[in-house]
């Protein structure tokens, strides 16, 4: 997530180390594929898409960015193992039409090196 506070809310910690690591890796000149998990109602927002577009503009030599659409395959397994599953997570995965909407949103922001993983 491009919002550090939202990242902390859902992942337990902000995203500053991730961004520092991206900056370091970019500085080495190594090829980078940026993988972008998207979760309906959580981070599929205009602000997040703007943040992704900003990252891709800041690092123009990123090889490509790949959307990782949310799925629910692990929810039942987590419950079976007695792990707590956040009630905030959607109970259904991202549809193909929603994924296409996300791709369109990013392409409308000038992101041309983006696809789906």
């Amino acid at each position: 997530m491009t919002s550090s506070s939202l990242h902390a809310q859902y992942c337990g910690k902000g995203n500053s180390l991730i961004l520092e690591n991206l900056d370091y890796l970019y500085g080495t000149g190594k090829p980078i594929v940026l993988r972008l998990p998207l979760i309906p109602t959580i981070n599929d927002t205009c602000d997040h898409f703007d943040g992704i577009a900003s990252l891709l503009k800041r690092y123009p030599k990123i090889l490509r960015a790949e959307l990782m659409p949310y799925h629910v395959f692990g929810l039942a397994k987590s419950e079976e193992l007695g792990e707590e599953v956040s009630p905030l997570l959607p109970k259904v995965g991202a549809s193909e039409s929603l994924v296409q909407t996300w791709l369109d949103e990013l392409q409308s922001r000038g992101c041309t090196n983006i696809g789906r993983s």
Side-chain angles (χ1 to χ4, degrees):
M1 291 181 219
T2 54
S3 162
S4 190
S5 61
L6 195 58
H7 194 276
Q9 179 182 349
Y10 286 95
C11 301
K13 194 168 188 175
N15 64 355
S16 61
L17 182 57
I18 294 168
L19 296 175
E20 287 172 26
N21 287 339
L22 175 61
D23 195 57
Y24 170 78
L25 185 61
Y26 190 81
T28 68
K30 303 287 184 189
I32 298 171
V33 175
L34 196 60
R35 303 203 65 210
L36 308 165
L38 284 176
I39 305 169
T41 72
I42 305 289
N43 70 342
D44 63 340
T45 64
C46 288
D47 286 344
H48 187 61
F49 293 134
D50 290 344
I52 292 169
S54 177
L55 273 177
L56 293 175
K57 286 176 187 159
R58 179 175 178 191
Y59 302 107
K61 293 181 184 175
I62 285 180
L63 191 59
R64 71 180 174 279
E66 297 178 347
L67 296 186
M68 296 174 51
Y70 175 76
H71 61 77
V72 296
F73 304 136
L75 294 180
K77 183 72 164 185
S78 294
E79 290 172 349
E80 286 175 17
L81 294 171
E83 296 176 1
E84 184 177 339
V85 175
S86 172
L88 301 175
L89 290 174
K91 302 301 181 215
V92 296
S95 68
E96 289 302 317
S97 63
L98 183 56
V99 173
Q100 187 58 54
T101 298
W102 293 340
L103 287 168
D104 293 345
E105 283 287 333
L106 289 163
Q107 289 168 349
S108 75
R109 288 167 169 78
C111 302
T112 57
N113 58 339
I114 195 150
R116 180 186 174 164
S117 65

